Structures are given as structure tokens and as C-alpha cells.
Amino acid sequence: MINGAHMIIYSRDPEADRAFLRDTLGFHHVDAGHGWLIFGLPPAEVAVHPTDGEPAHELFLMCDDVAATVAELSAKGVEFTIPVTAERWGLRTALRLPGGGELGLYEPSHPVAI
């Protein structure tokens, strides 16, 4: 039976993004060999949304208090690419990874599965 999920972030600067996940976000990790760090994530859930365009995938981190999380991460030098915005499903923002990518961050207002 399925016992987990493995997500991949493609990056222009994987060393910097690995350091960010390890040092800034504090995610536990193991070294799979040669510095390839694999990070444990908090419990997760998956949703399937309709699209009229090409199918795509997004990664959002969840938190209980987006304002406090933004303040804590901003104090660590994390850049946020959009202001906190109220959506019908919660409060959302996005943070910049050192390698140039983005991760969504949101405080859900809907029931969660975890």
C-alpha cells in the first residue's frame, strides 16, 4: 500500500535551496549520498482541482497563522513574492527559494485532512 509521497523541486541552485529547507525552514533530512539531501515534510494532503488549461502541480506549505509565519521567516531573510491575500479557501502568500523558485504558503480556512 502507498505509505508516503516524494516531491521533487527542480532548482537552478539546488545547494542553496537544500540549505534553505535545512537551515531556514528547519526540515529534518537524511543524506541519500553525495550531498543529496532528502527532507521530511510535515503531514500532507492532496487536492485535485479542475483546469481548462494544461494539467499542472503546485506545492503549498500550510501553517496555522500566516502572519506569524511570514514575520518569523522574514526575520530570517526570506523574501515573499506576493502579499498575504485573502482567498475563499484561506490566507495565502508565496516565498522565494534561493534557487529562484517559489513555494506557496497558506493558512487554510477550510477543513483540513491532516
Side-chain angles (χ1 to χ4, degrees):
M1 210 48 206
I2 295 170
N3 65 4
H6 182 91
M7 292 170 260
I8 299 172
I9 298 173
Y10 290 94
S11 173
R12 292 188 187 108
D13 191 347
E15 290 299 322
D17 286 346
R18 290 178 190 133
F20 177 83
L21 294 173
R22 180 191 64 222
D23 302 334
T24 305
L25 297 185
F27 288 167
H28 171 75
H29 65 279
V30 296
D31 189 328
H34 309 287
W36 287 85
L37 304 183
I38 306 293
F39 295 90
L41 294 175
E45 61 184 25
V46 63
V48 179
H49 293 242
T51 183
D52 292 328
E54 289 298 313
H57 311 293
E58 294 181 301
L59 175 58
F60 276 79
L61 302 175
M62 296 166 58
C63 63
D64 292 328
D65 183 337
V66 75
T69 304
V70 166
E72 179 182 344
L73 293 175
S74 293
K76 293 180 178 183
V78 174
E79 173 193 356
F80 286 85
T81 59
I82 61 172
V84 174
T85 305
E87 305 289 350
R88 63 179 174 75
W89 40 267
L91 300 173
R92 80 174 212 132
T93 185
L95 57 92
R96 173 83 57 213
L97 291 171
E102 288 186 359
L103 290 179
L105 173 68
Y106 86 110
E107 175 187 330
S109 60
H110 58 79
V112 297
I114 54 174

